Amino acid sequence: MWATTWGEDANTVLGPRLGLPPLPVADLSEEPPLPGLHWKTRPLLSRAAGRPFVWLDDEITPADREYVDACRPAPALLYRVAPERGLVKGDFEAVAAWLSRTPVRRSRTP
């Protein structure tokens, strides 16, 4: 899922460069941010709805991590990407390593 101000353009501009298929775009227009938190933090928590999730961003702060840790019933990785270099192989490796050791609850189909 994209959580970016690029909106749907992320699917045509960024996705192909990253080798990603078209992804849904998160609605980030929910309630205003709490002081000290990134404006995406609360909407992403809401969208995750208690499921594990990974958030890659160049603006994640310790305050966002503390808030998510305090509010999350499931694991979450808030991964800060260095804005001066963007996503690199090591970033993908770090996320893959986290995913490989994070249990995912599967929902049952009726």
Side-chain angles (χ1 to χ4, degrees):
M1 170 169 290
W2 293 108
T4 176
T5 55
W6 284 74
E8 288 294 336
D9 289 340
N11 280 315
T12 56
V13 178
L14 301 175
R17 292 177 187 211
L18 295 171
L20 296 172
L23 300 169
V25 177
D27 178 9
L28 300 172
S29 62
E30 294 184 22
E31 49 196 280
L34 295 175
L37 287 185
H38 192 285
W39 61 274
K40 295 178 188 176
T41 304
R42 291 172 68 198
L44 289 176
L45 278 174
S46 176
R47 179 67 188 206
R51 297 174 299 230
F53 75 98
V54 175
W55 174 22
L56 295 101
D57 205 299
D58 64 347
E59 297 179 341
I60 294 169
T61 68
D64 299 305
R65 287 189 180 94
E66 290 170 16
Y67 184 83
V68 169
D69 286 346
C71 296
R72 291 290 300 157
L77 173 63
L78 278 62
Y79 189 90
R80 188 172 190 283
V81 175
E84 66 276 4
R85 65 174 164 76
L87 286 166
V88 296
K89 182 179 178 183
D91 298 324
F92 291 103
E93 291 170 347
V95 171
W98 184 85
L99 290 170
S100 72
R101 59 181 187 271
T102 302
V104 176
R105 292 185 316 228
R106 304 266 184 228
S107 59
R108 296 173 125 181
T109 54

